[in-house]
Structures are given as C-alpha cells and as structure tokens.
Amino acid sequence: RQIKNLLDVSTEEKRNFLNSFDYVLTDCDGVIWTIVKPIEGAGEGVSALHENGKRVIFISNNSVRSHEKYVEKFKEGNINASIDDVLHPSLATICYLRKINFKGLIYCIGSSEFKKKLQEAGYEYIDGPNEQIEDFVTLWKAVKDDNPVKAVIIDTDFNVSSAKLIRAEIYLKNPECLFIAGTTDMMLPITKGFKIIGVGPYYKILEEASGRRAVVVGKPGDALKDIVIDKYNIKDPKRVLFIGDTLEQDIGFGTKCGFKTLLVMTGSATKMDLLTHPKKQELPDYYLEAFGDFTKVFDD
Ligand code: PLP
Ligand code: CA
C-alpha cells in the first residue's frame, strides 16, 4: 500500500478523513518543535485544527522538561495550548498509580523533574545511590535497610548507573513490587540523523534481570491507552487522530489504540521508511510534510 500525502487526495477523500475524528492527539518533539526551536507553521496548524472544531492534545515521551518549560515552548511557537493539554510519562505514571490506588514507597530512576512531579502528587520516593559505589556489599547494605519498596519506576535519567540498576533489580525480586517504565525509546532523536542512547536499553536490562515485564506508560505502551482515554474522556477511539514523527512510538501506538494515524516528515521517519518499514501496523493512514500543512487541508 502506498501511503499518500493528505494534501494530494481527492476533495471527497480529504473531507471524509477530516470528518472522521474529533480529537487530535499529537506528539511534540519532531512535530511541533525540535529540541532547539519551534517547527515553522506548527502554531498555525494547531489553530487550523481548533478553528475546525478539533480538540488538540499533546502526548510526549519527555518528562524531563518542566511544566513551565512546556508553556514557554508553546508561547515561543505561537501554539494555543495550556499545560492541561499535555500528557507525558510522569503525569501518565501518576494517573496509573491513582487508578490502581497505589500506596507505598517508590524507588525511582528518573530526572529531578519526574521525581518532583511524583512528590507533588503525594508519592514518597527514594533514589540513588548518588555517590561513588566501589563494591556490591555497600550497595546491598543500603538496599537491605530501606525495603520494602512497593514500586520501581524507570524513566529518563542521564545519571543512570549500574548501581541504580542493580538496586532496582533487587527490589524487583519481590513479586509484589510494581514495575513501571515511562519512556522506553531505545534512542532519543536530538536532530535529524543524530540520536543518543534513550531509556530503552536500561529498562530492557531490568526486564531481563528480573524476568518481569514493565507496565509501560509512555508511547507505545499498552497502559497509556486507557490513561489517555480516561483522562480526556474519549468516548470513541475511532474518532481520534494520532499524529507523530516516529513509526514505532507514535504510529504504532495510534494503531494499537484503534486511532486514525498521520505521520509528519519533520522528525525521525523518512520517505524511505514509508516504503520499506516491515511492520504494517506502524504505517500511517496518511502523511503530511509538516504539521503546518493543516492550514491547507481544510481549504479544499
Ligand atoms: N525524552 C526526552 C528526554 C527527550 O529529550 C525527547 C525529545 O527531545 C523525547 C523523550 C521524545 O519526545 P516526544 O515524544 O515529544 O517526541
Ligand atoms: Ca517525536
């Protein structure tokens, strides 16, 4: 199947598609902005969707950025959105913990911002070790004293270490200890063609060491579907469009949820990927060169 540019299809096909959804869930990095600046036209694209009666919600895998920084970035790109319109792994984790009525101590491998959000939501956490560890006995002694930890959470932590992973592994030996992963991206795209190591390799090590599967609350995790649907009171998943720049995290997640999907070409995925990607469920219904093209699709 050839994936078409939404701008190139017939007026009727375009109208049918645009009338088929009320909610637009969109990825941020690579779609709305890059790490350094807004993507041209994205703000106008969001406004065009709003003017045509669509509810726009932002779903990012980045919990490292504070709420204040999100708001700053929206302003910088003339994007009409507030922080209530954003869902990312720390908020998704909190939604999940509330849903299962979680009580108890958390061990968190994550950014300061992630841990701050947990604390503000009323959850108690421990982290570290943050000092140099030279032998396993020291680590073991520390861990032994602060059991019982009731949940291990892993998200982006640029200070992740072998000591932190071993500590998490020890807690996870208790089958009653919850295991939650936020973002699970193997690589973090920084700019086109430049990627760095993401959380993926670390959460995979923990899964392998513990013989357990994490509840994944970031894209493309199964647990995120219900979290999104509950939080935004979505009645019919078929009337949702998911927009992203990556095939696995964004389009794969959209398909898994029964949403319509659209890829933009301003981030990770390339035209070649559209032709060669082996997994059908990670291919979008349509693509657009950029989010800003939404200013044109309604004109026809
Ligand atoms: N996590 C971190 C720490 C990032 O820096 C980024 C992108 O810059 C992401 C995740 C991916 O974010 P998104 O899901 O908005 O593409
Ligand atoms: Ca992205």
Side-chain angles (χ1 to χ4, degrees), residues 89-144:
S90 64
L91 298 181
T93 300
I94 291 162
C95 291
Y96 181 78
L97 293 175
R98 289 203 174 124
K99 192 170 81 178
I100 62 167
N101 199 18
F102 175 82
K103 302 234 169 0
L105 185 63
I106 295 167
Y107 173 68
C108 185
I109 300 178
S111 62
S112 307
E113 191 51 43
F114 193 109
K115 290 182 271 196
K116 189 170 145 213
K117 288 279 181 313
L118 276 182
Q119 198 168 34
E120 283 169 0
Y123 294 103
E124 194 190 342
Y125 75 85
I126 51 171
D127 63 5
N130 298 314
E131 69 283 4
Q132 182 82 4
I133 295 289
E134 302 291 357
D135 63 274
F136 177 67
V137 178
T138 318
L139 188 62
W140 175 249
K141 276 190 187 143
V143 172
K144 195 166 61 52

Side-chain angles (χ1 to χ4, degrees), residues 157-182:
D157 179 352
F158 289 110
N159 303 288
V160 69
S161 64
S162 175
K164 286 183 182 179
L165 292 168
I166 292 169
R167 192 166 166 181
E169 176 193 5
I170 295 169
Y171 296 132
L172 288 170
K173 298 217 183 291
N174 171 6
E176 276 161 30
C177 180
L178 265 181
F179 181 17
I180 299 176

Side-chain angles (χ1 to χ4, degrees), residues 16 31 84 107 120 142 147 160 180 219 232 245 262 269 283:
N16 283 342
V31 177
D84 294 333
Y107 173 68
E120 283 169 0
N147 258 332
V160 69
I180 299 176
K219 296 171 292 182
Y232 295 103
D245 71 307
L262 183 138
L283 287 171

Side-chain angles (χ1 to χ4, degrees), residues 171-279:
Y171 296 132
L172 288 170
K173 298 217 183 291
N174 171 6
E176 276 161 30
C177 180
L178 265 181
F179 181 17
I180 299 176
T183 172
T184 52
D185 304 5
M186 294 302 283
M187 304 294 288
L188 280 184
I190 299 297
T191 56
K192 217 156 182 106
F194 178 50
K195 294 178 181 174
I196 58 167
I197 301 169
V199 183
Y202 305 120
Y203 113 95
K204 285 265 187 223
I205 285 178
L206 279 186
E207 283 203 333
E208 196 172 318
S210 64
R212 306 196 26 200
R213 300 293 305 272
V215 174
V216 179
V217 300
K219 296 171 292 182
D222 291 344
L224 182 59
K225 178 184 177 183
D226 287 344
I227 294 169
V228 172
I229 286 180
D230 290 351
K231 183 166 168 64
Y232 295 103
N233 201 15
I234 293 169
K235 298 277 185 284
D236 182 0
K238 285 202 288 302
R239 295 203 55 83
V240 175
L241 171 65
F242 200 95
I243 302 175
D245 71 307
T246 63
L247 296 177
E248 187 190 348
Q249 283 90 352
D250 298 320
I251 307 305
F253 176 68
T255 307
K256 194 185 271 182
C257 296
F259 302 155
K260 311 249 164 17
T261 55
L262 183 138
L263 185 79
V264 290
M265 308 311 302
T266 45
S268 292
T270 62
K271 295 265 169 67
M272 187 53 93
D273 293 332
L274 284 180
L275 295 172
T276 57
H277 192 70
K279 295 185 182 163

